[in-house]
Amino acid sequence: MKLYYTESSPPCRTIILLANILNIKLELILTSPKKGETKTAFFLQMNPQHVVPTLVDDDGYVVWESRVIAKYLLAKYAEKSDLYPSDFYTRLEVDKVLDFDLGTVFRRASDYIIPILFTGKTDPTKTPKLDDAMNVLSEILKRGNSNFIVGKKLTIADISLITVVSSLEAAGYDFSEYPSIVSWLRNIRNTIPDYESIGVKGELAFKTMIDACLK
């Protein structure tokens, strides 16, 4: 199974962390969008959206979008895993958080981070919407009364979110006003197997990229 990825990418990190939990061996193929490697004829044939991560299964089936890849791996290789609960309503809660992550957290985090990559500094006009997203995330955690985003166990919602939130942390976003998020971050880092060697490695790659851009 091949995964076309970029080391600093939060969505790529999500899939690598999940595959490790599921004991799925991936052939990791480093792919740089910056160098145009996702716009070659070969890559576009696989994925017209030209994004990483892109997964190619052993049978040649191609999947892209990290949250879809995560569901695919669980449905095909770990159908009964608690990472994507079988209980109808618990799974809906996980799906709600994944959509919140994709449509709000990741989008606003990207809006906050992209100016750093292109101008070397943050754009203050992007911070209020990001703050609002973090307020919502904090409230979800408080209402759940748990160190996990859904229920009392680790799910793919936690794995997807931590890669985005930890990247914001690496980019210098201040989480001191969100103790529930700080506590959740610590718990998820301690819960995900091999986070020190996989997750932290990706965080450092992201931080190195950001630090190189900051003026």
Side-chain angles (χ1 to χ4, degrees), residues 122-160:
T122 57
D123 178 351
T125 66
K126 305 299 182 183
T127 305
K129 284 191 174 182
L130 179 57
D131 291 343
D132 179 65
M134 292 303 103
N135 283 325
V136 174
L137 177 58
S138 179
E139 184 62 27
I140 292 171
L141 287 164
K142 288 176 186 176
R143 290 185 181 186
N145 193 28
S146 169
N147 277 324
F148 299 100
I149 194 72
V150 175
K152 306 292 183 182
K153 293 181 180 180
L154 183 75
T155 68
I156 53 172
D158 294 296
I159 301 171
S160 183

mmCIF file of all heavy atoms in Angstrom, residues 122-160:
data_model
loop_
_atom_site.group_PDB
_atom_site.id
_atom_site.type_symbol
_atom_site.label_atom_id
_atom_site.label_comp_id
_atom_site.label_asym_id
_atom_site.label_seq_id
_atom_site.Cartn_x
_atom_site.Cartn_y
_atom_site.Cartn_z
ATOM 1 N N THR A 122 2.034 36.603 10.515
ATOM 2 C CA THR A 122 0.603 36.306 10.577
ATOM 3 C C THR A 122 -0.201 37.504 10.079
ATOM 4 O O THR A 122 0.263 38.649 10.092
ATOM 5 C CB THR A 122 0.159 35.977 12.012
ATOM 6 O OG1 THR A 122 0.484 37.078 12.869
ATOM 7 C CG2 THR A 122 0.851 34.720 12.527
ATOM 8 N N ASP A 123 -1.427 37.217 9.651
ATOM 9 C CA ASP A 123 -2.370 38.260 9.251
ATOM 10 C C ASP A 123 -3.367 38.419 10.396
ATOM 11 O O ASP A 123 -4.195 37.525 10.626
ATOM 12 C CB ASP A 123 -3.079 37.835 7.965
ATOM 13 C CG ASP A 123 -4.125 38.854 7.505
ATOM 14 O OD1 ASP A 123 -4.418 39.793 8.256
ATOM 15 O OD2 ASP A 123 -4.661 38.676 6.396
ATOM 16 N N PRO A 124 -3.311 39.536 11.133
ATOM 17 C CA PRO A 124 -4.189 39.718 12.302
ATOM 18 C C PRO A 124 -5.672 39.593 11.992
ATOM 19 O O PRO A 124 -6.465 39.260 12.874
ATOM 20 C CB PRO A 124 -3.855 41.143 12.780
ATOM 21 C CG PRO A 124 -2.503 41.430 12.221
ATOM 22 C CD PRO A 124 -2.432 40.689 10.919
ATOM 23 N N THR A 125 -6.067 39.827 10.740
ATOM 24 C CA THR A 125 -7.486 39.751 10.401
ATOM 25 C C THR A 125 -7.984 38.306 10.399
ATOM 26 O O THR A 125 -9.197 38.080 10.413
ATOM 27 C CB THR A 125 -7.762 40.378 9.022
ATOM 28 O OG1 THR A 125 -7.123 39.605 7.991
ATOM 29 C CG2 THR A 125 -7.242 41.810 8.966
ATOM 30 N N LYS A 126 -7.069 37.333 10.357
ATOM 31 C CA LYS A 126 -7.460 35.925 10.327
ATOM 32 C C LYS A 126 -7.615 35.335 11.726
ATOM 33 O O LYS A 126 -8.218 34.265 11.888
ATOM 34 C CB LYS A 126 -6.422 35.097 9.559
ATOM 35 C CG LYS A 126 -6.125 35.592 8.157
ATOM 36 C CD LYS A 126 -7.366 35.569 7.270
ATOM 37 C CE LYS A 126 -7.027 36.016 5.857
ATOM 38 N NZ LYS A 126 -8.235 36.080 4.986
ATOM 39 N N THR A 127 -7.101 36.032 12.729
ATOM 40 C CA THR A 127 -7.093 35.478 14.084
ATOM 41 C C THR A 127 -8.478 35.368 14.713
ATOM 42 O O THR A 127 -8.772 34.354 15.362
ATOM 43 C CB THR A 127 -6.157 36.295 14.997
ATOM 44 O OG1 THR A 127 -4.859 36.350 14.390
ATOM 45 C CG2 THR A 127 -6.038 35.664 16.377
ATOM 46 N N PRO A 128 -9.363 36.361 14.586
ATOM 47 C CA PRO A 128 -10.670 36.251 15.247
ATOM 48 C C PRO A 128 -11.468 35.008 14.865
ATOM 49 O O PRO A 128 -12.077 34.362 15.725
ATOM 50 C CB PRO A 128 -11.393 37.531 14.819
ATOM 51 C CG PRO A 128 -10.294 38.514 14.575
ATOM 52 C CD PRO A 128 -9.184 37.691 13.972
ATOM 53 N N LYS A 129 -11.476 34.643 13.583
ATOM 54 C CA LYS A 129 -12.223 33.450 13.175
ATOM 55 C C LYS A 129 -11.584 32.177 13.711
ATOM 56 O O LYS A 129 -12.280 31.217 14.055
ATOM 57 C CB LYS A 129 -12.335 33.387 11.648
ATOM 58 C CG LYS A 129 -13.363 34.354 11.081
ATOM 59 C CD LYS A 129 -13.636 34.062 9.617
ATOM 60 C CE LYS A 129 -14.782 34.932 9.098
ATOM 61 N NZ LYS A 129 -15.108 34.626 7.688
ATOM 62 N N LEU A 130 -10.260 32.176 13.785
ATOM 63 C CA LEU A 130 -9.572 31.026 14.373
ATOM 64 C C LEU A 130 -9.885 30.940 15.859
ATOM 65 O O LEU A 130 -10.143 29.849 16.388
ATOM 66 C CB LEU A 130 -8.067 31.133 14.143
ATOM 67 C CG LEU A 130 -7.217 29.999 14.718
ATOM 68 C CD1 LEU A 130 -7.655 28.638 14.189
ATOM 69 C CD2 LEU A 130 -5.742 30.240 14.409
ATOM 70 N N ASP A 131 -9.883 32.090 16.534
ATOM 71 C CA ASP A 131 -10.249 32.113 17.958
ATOM 72 C C ASP A 131 -11.651 31.546 18.162
ATOM 73 O O ASP A 131 -11.893 30.780 19.105
ATOM 74 C CB ASP A 131 -10.210 33.547 18.500
ATOM 75 C CG ASP A 131 -8.805 34.123 18.596
ATOM 76 O OD1 ASP A 131 -7.832 33.342 18.550
ATOM 77 O OD2 ASP A 131 -8.691 35.360 18.702
ATOM 78 N N ASP A 132 -12.556 31.915 17.274
ATOM 79 C CA ASP A 132 -13.926 31.419 17.370
ATOM 80 C C ASP A 132 -13.967 29.894 17.234
ATOM 81 O O ASP A 132 -14.678 29.210 17.981
ATOM 82 C CB ASP A 132 -14.790 32.068 16.278
ATOM 83 C CG ASP A 132 -16.222 31.578 16.321
ATOM 84 O OD1 ASP A 132 -16.921 31.849 17.311
ATOM 85 O OD2 ASP A 132 -16.643 30.900 15.359
ATOM 86 N N ALA A 133 -13.192 29.356 16.292
ATOM 87 C CA ALA A 133 -13.137 27.899 16.114
ATOM 88 C C ALA A 133 -12.573 27.218 17.355
ATOM 89 O O ALA A 133 -13.057 26.153 17.777
ATOM 90 C CB ALA A 133 -12.286 27.553 14.898
ATOM 91 N N MET A 134 -11.568 27.827 17.966
ATOM 92 C CA MET A 134 -10.974 27.249 19.180
ATOM 93 C C MET A 134 -11.938 27.342 20.365
ATOM 94 O O MET A 134 -11.971 26.456 21.225
ATOM 95 C CB MET A 134 -9.659 27.947 19.514
ATOM 96 C CG MET A 134 -8.536 27.675 18.514
ATOM 97 S SD MET A 134 -8.144 25.909 18.299
ATOM 98 C CE MET A 134 -8.957 25.558 16.720
ATOM 99 N N ASN A 135 -12.736 28.397 20.385
ATOM 100 C CA ASN A 135 -13.767 28.502 21.428
ATOM 101 C C ASN A 135 -14.785 27.364 21.301
ATOM 102 O O ASN A 135 -15.209 26.780 22.300
ATOM 103 C CB ASN A 135 -14.484 29.853 21.336
ATOM 104 C CG ASN A 135 -13.673 30.990 21.905
ATOM 105 O OD1 ASN A 135 -12.941 30.820 22.884
ATOM 106 N ND2 ASN A 135 -13.775 32.167 21.311
ATOM 107 N N VAL A 136 -15.168 27.074 20.070
ATOM 108 C CA VAL A 136 -16.115 25.981 19.835
ATOM 109 C C VAL A 136 -15.489 24.646 20.231
ATOM 110 O O VAL A 136 -16.118 23.824 20.906
ATOM 111 C CB VAL A 136 -16.565 25.942 18.359
ATOM 112 C CG1 VAL A 136 -17.437 24.714 18.098
ATOM 113 C CG2 VAL A 136 -17.330 27.215 18.004
ATOM 114 N N LEU A 137 -14.257 24.409 19.814
ATOM 115 C CA LEU A 137 -13.569 23.166 20.174
ATOM 116 C C LEU A 137 -13.459 23.027 21.684
ATOM 117 O O LEU A 137 -13.716 21.947 22.241
ATOM 118 C CB LEU A 137 -12.179 23.141 19.538
ATOM 119 C CG LEU A 137 -11.294 21.931 19.885
ATOM 120 C CD1 LEU A 137 -11.972 20.619 19.507
ATOM 121 C CD2 LEU A 137 -9.937 22.057 19.197
ATOM 122 N N SER A 138 -13.120 24.102 22.354
ATOM 123 C CA SER A 138 -13.021 24.091 23.815
ATOM 124 C C SER A 138 -14.363 23.746 24.453
ATOM 125 O O SER A 138 -14.437 22.960 25.405
ATOM 126 C CB SER A 138 -12.531 25.457 24.309
ATOM 127 O OG SER A 138 -12.455 25.493 25.716
ATOM 128 N N GLU A 139 -15.430 24.303 23.903
ATOM 129 C CA GLU A 139 -16.765 24.048 24.447
ATOM 130 C C GLU A 139 -17.174 22.590 24.232
ATOM 131 O O GLU A 139 -17.776 21.961 25.115
ATOM 132 C CB GLU A 139 -17.787 24.985 23.786
ATOM 133 C CG GLU A 139 -19.186 24.888 24.341
ATOM 134 C CD GLU A 139 -19.286 25.250 25.816
ATOM 135 O OE1 GLU A 139 -18.444 26.038 26.303
ATOM 136 O OE2 GLU A 139 -20.205 24.725 26.493
ATOM 137 N N ILE A 140 -16.848 22.035 23.062
ATOM 138 C CA ILE A 140 -17.151 20.621 22.803
ATOM 139 C C ILE A 140 -16.448 19.737 23.827
ATOM 140 O O ILE A 140 -17.041 18.797 24.373
ATOM 141 C CB ILE A 140 -16.727 20.230 21.370
ATOM 142 C CG1 ILE A 140 -17.598 20.941 20.339
ATOM 143 C CG2 ILE A 140 -16.820 18.706 21.182
ATOM 144 C CD1 ILE A 140 -17.106 20.788 18.906
ATOM 145 N N LEU A 141 -15.195 20.039 24.091
ATOM 146 C CA LEU A 141 -14.427 19.254 25.062
ATOM 147 C C LEU A 141 -15.007 19.376 26.466
ATOM 148 O O LEU A 141 -15.109 18.398 27.203
ATOM 149 C CB LEU A 141 -12.960 19.697 25.055
ATOM 150 C CG LEU A 141 -12.147 19.259 23.829
ATOM 151 C CD1 LEU A 141 -10.852 20.050 23.730
ATOM 152 C CD2 LEU A 141 -11.866 17.760 23.889
ATOM 153 N N LYS A 142 -15.410 20.567 26.832
ATOM 154 C CA LYS A 142 -15.996 20.779 28.167
ATOM 155 C C LYS A 142 -17.307 20.018 28.318
ATOM 156 O O LYS A 142 -17.569 19.396 29.352
ATOM 157 C CB LYS A 142 -16.234 22.272 28.404
ATOM 158 C CG LYS A 142 -14.973 23.089 28.617
ATOM 159 C CD LYS A 142 -15.334 24.566 28.736
ATOM 160 C CE LYS A 142 -14.102 25.440 28.811
ATOM 161 N NZ LYS A 142 -14.468 26.880 28.828
ATOM 162 N N ARG A 143 -18.133 20.063 27.291
ATOM 163 C CA ARG A 143 -19.433 19.391 27.363
ATOM 164 C C ARG A 143 -19.278 17.876 27.411
ATOM 165 O O ARG A 143 -20.084 17.179 28.012
ATOM 166 C CB ARG A 143 -20.302 19.786 26.172
ATOM 167 C CG ARG A 143 -20.779 21.231 26.222
ATOM 168 C CD ARG A 143 -21.735 21.541 25.097
ATOM 169 N NE ARG A 143 -22.159 22.938 25.137
ATOM 170 C CZ ARG A 143 -23.089 23.461 24.341
ATOM 171 N NH1 ARG A 143 -23.678 22.696 23.439
ATOM 172 N NH2 ARG A 143 -23.408 24.739 24.436
ATOM 173 N N GLY A 144 -18.238 17.379 26.748
ATOM 174 C CA GLY A 144 -18.005 15.943 26.756
ATOM 175 C C GLY A 144 -17.445 15.448 28.073
ATOM 176 O O GLY A 144 -17.483 14.249 28.355
ATOM 177 N N ASN A 145 -16.912 16.381 28.868
ATOM 178 C CA ASN A 145 -16.365 16.032 30.184
ATOM 179 C C ASN A 145 -15.380 14.861 30.080
ATOM 180 O O ASN A 145 -15.426 13.912 30.856
ATOM 181 C CB ASN A 145 -17.493 15.696 31.163
ATOM 182 C CG ASN A 145 -16.990 15.644 32.598
ATOM 183 O OD1 ASN A 145 -16.023 16.320 32.944
ATOM 184 N ND2 ASN A 145 -17.651 14.848 33.420
ATOM 185 N N SER A 146 -14.519 14.941 29.078
ATOM 186 C CA SER A 146 -13.579 13.843 28.828
ATOM 187 C C SER A 146 -12.346 14.400 28.155
ATOM 188 O O SER A 146 -12.364 15.500 27.597
ATOM 189 C CB SER A 146 -14.228 12.785 27.925
ATOM 190 O OG SER A 146 -13.270 11.860 27.460
ATOM 191 N N ASN A 147 -11.254 13.661 28.212
ATOM 192 C CA ASN A 147 -10.042 14.062 27.515
ATOM 193 C C ASN A 147 -10.017 13.570 26.080
ATOM 194 O O ASN A 147 -8.989 13.632 25.409
ATOM 195 C CB ASN A 147 -8.804 13.568 28.269
ATOM 196 C CG ASN A 147 -8.428 14.521 29.399
ATOM 197 O OD1 ASN A 147 -8.572 15.732 29.276
ATOM 198 N ND2 ASN A 147 -7.969 13.966 30.501
ATOM 199 N N PHE A 148 -11.164 13.075 25.602
ATOM 200 C CA PHE A 148 -11.315 12.710 24.200
ATOM 201 C C PHE A 148 -12.432 13.565 23.616
ATOM 202 O O PHE A 148 -13.333 14.003 24.327
ATOM 203 C CB PHE A 148 -11.634 11.228 24.053
ATOM 204 C CG PHE A 148 -10.560 10.327 24.598
ATOM 205 C CD1 PHE A 148 -10.693 9.750 25.846
ATOM 206 C CD2 PHE A 148 -9.413 10.082 23.858
ATOM 207 C CE1 PHE A 148 -9.695 8.934 26.363
ATOM 208 C CE2 PHE A 148 -8.412 9.263 24.367
ATOM 209 C CZ PHE A 148 -8.551 8.687 25.619
ATOM 210 N N ILE A 149 -12.384 13.775 22.314
ATOM 211 C CA ILE A 149 -13.359 14.678 21.694
ATOM 212 C C ILE A 149 -14.750 14.063 21.610
ATOM 213 O O ILE A 149 -15.760 14.757 21.663
ATOM 214 C CB ILE A 149 -12.861 15.136 20.300
ATOM 215 C CG1 ILE A 149 -13.675 16.318 19.778
ATOM 216 C CG2 ILE A 149 -12.852 13.993 19.304
ATOM 217 C CD1 ILE A 149 -13.423 17.609 20.478
ATOM 218 N N VAL A 150 -14.810 12.720 21.502
ATOM 219 C CA VAL A 150 -16.092 12.006 21.485
ATOM 220 C C VAL A 150 -16.000 10.832 22.452
ATOM 221 O O VAL A 150 -15.132 9.969 22.300
ATOM 222 C CB VAL A 150 -16.445 11.479 20.080
ATOM 223 C CG1 VAL A 150 -17.729 10.643 20.135
ATOM 224 C CG2 VAL A 150 -16.608 12.629 19.085
ATOM 225 N N GLY A 151 -16.886 10.805 23.437
ATOM 226 C CA GLY A 151 -16.923 9.675 24.354
ATOM 227 C C GLY A 151 -15.689 9.568 25.239
ATOM 228 O O GLY A 151 -15.033 10.561 25.541
ATOM 229 N N LYS A 152 -15.362 8.348 25.615
ATOM 230 C CA LYS A 152 -14.278 8.094 26.566
ATOM 231 C C LYS A 152 -13.105 7.356 25.948
ATOM 232 O O LYS A 152 -12.226 6.857 26.657
ATOM 233 C CB LYS A 152 -14.812 7.252 27.750
ATOM 234 C CG LYS A 152 -16.030 7.829 28.450
ATOM 235 C CD LYS A 152 -15.706 9.110 29.191
ATOM 236 C CE LYS A 152 -16.922 9.638 29.957
ATOM 237 N NZ LYS A 152 -16.645 10.916 30.641
ATOM 238 N N LYS A 153 -13.096 7.273 24.600
ATOM 239 C CA LYS A 153 -12.013 6.547 23.933
ATOM 240 C C LYS A 153 -11.491 7.349 22.744
ATOM 241 O O LYS A 153 -12.181 8.209 22.200
ATOM 242 C CB LYS A 153 -12.509 5.178 23.429
ATOM 243 C CG LYS A 153 -12.873 4.199 24.527
ATOM 244 C CD LYS A 153 -13.331 2.866 23.921
ATOM 245 C CE LYS A 153 -13.701 1.866 25.012
ATOM 246 N NZ LYS A 153 -14.156 0.569 24.420
ATOM 247 N N LEU A 154 -10.278 7.016 22.346
ATOM 248 C CA LEU A 154 -9.665 7.630 21.182
ATOM 249 C C LEU A 154 -10.460 7.269 19.919
ATOM 250 O O LEU A 154 -10.854 6.119 19.733
ATOM 251 C CB LEU A 154 -8.229 7.122 21.036
ATOM 252 C CG LEU A 154 -7.400 7.720 19.885
ATOM 253 C CD1 LEU A 154 -6.974 9.139 20.229
ATOM 254 C CD2 LEU A 154 -6.175 6.847 19.612
ATOM 255 N N THR A 155 -10.706 8.264 19.065
ATOM 256 C CA THR A 155 -11.341 8.020 17.764
ATOM 257 C C THR A 155 -10.561 8.753 16.677
ATOM 258 O O THR A 155 -9.651 9.544 16.967
ATOM 259 C CB THR A 155 -12.811 8.502 17.729
ATOM 260 O OG1 THR A 155 -12.824 9.949 17.808
ATOM 261 C CG2 THR A 155 -13.629 7.897 18.858
ATOM 262 N N ILE A 156 -10.952 8.511 15.433
ATOM 263 C CA ILE A 156 -10.279 9.206 14.335
ATOM 264 C C ILE A 156 -10.520 10.711 14.395
ATOM 265 O O ILE A 156 -9.754 11.485 13.808
ATOM 266 C CB ILE A 156 -10.684 8.650 12.957
ATOM 267 C CG1 ILE A 156 -12.207 8.616 12.779
ATOM 268 C CG2 ILE A 156 -10.056 7.306 12.712
ATOM 269 C CD1 ILE A 156 -12.646 8.255 11.359
ATOM 270 N N ALA A 157 -11.542 11.150 15.114
ATOM 271 C CA ALA A 157 -11.755 12.588 15.285
ATOM 272 C C ALA A 157 -10.598 13.201 16.063
ATOM 273 O O ALA A 157 -10.113 14.289 15.729
ATOM 274 C CB ALA A 157 -13.080 12.842 15.999
ATOM 275 N N ASP A 158 -10.141 12.510 17.106
ATOM 276 C CA ASP A 158 -8.982 12.987 17.874
ATOM 277 C C ASP A 158 -7.729 13.008 17.013
ATOM 278 O O ASP A 158 -6.939 13.960 17.059
ATOM 279 C CB ASP A 158 -8.726 12.070 19.079
ATOM 280 C CG ASP A 158 -9.829 12.106 20.122
ATOM 281 O OD1 ASP A 158 -10.042 13.174 20.719
ATOM 282 O OD2 ASP A 158 -10.464 11.061 20.335
ATOM 283 N N ILE A 159 -7.535 11.937 16.243
ATOM 284 C CA ILE A 159 -6.312 11.807 15.452
ATOM 285 C C ILE A 159 -6.255 12.879 14.368
ATOM 286 O O ILE A 159 -5.201 13.473 14.108
ATOM 287 C CB ILE A 159 -6.214 10.395 14.831
ATOM 288 C CG1 ILE A 159 -6.212 9.326 15.929
ATOM 289 C CG2 ILE A 159 -4.939 10.269 13.993
ATOM 290 C CD1 ILE A 159 -6.340 7.898 15.408
ATOM 291 N N SER A 160 -7.387 13.151 13.743
ATOM 292 C CA SER A 160 -7.434 14.180 12.715
ATOM 293 C C SER A 160 -7.223 15.568 13.309
ATOM 294 O O SER A 160 -6.432 16.376 12.792
ATOM 295 C CB SER A 160 -8.781 14.127 11.976
ATOM 296 O OG SER A 160 -8.819 15.060 10.926
#
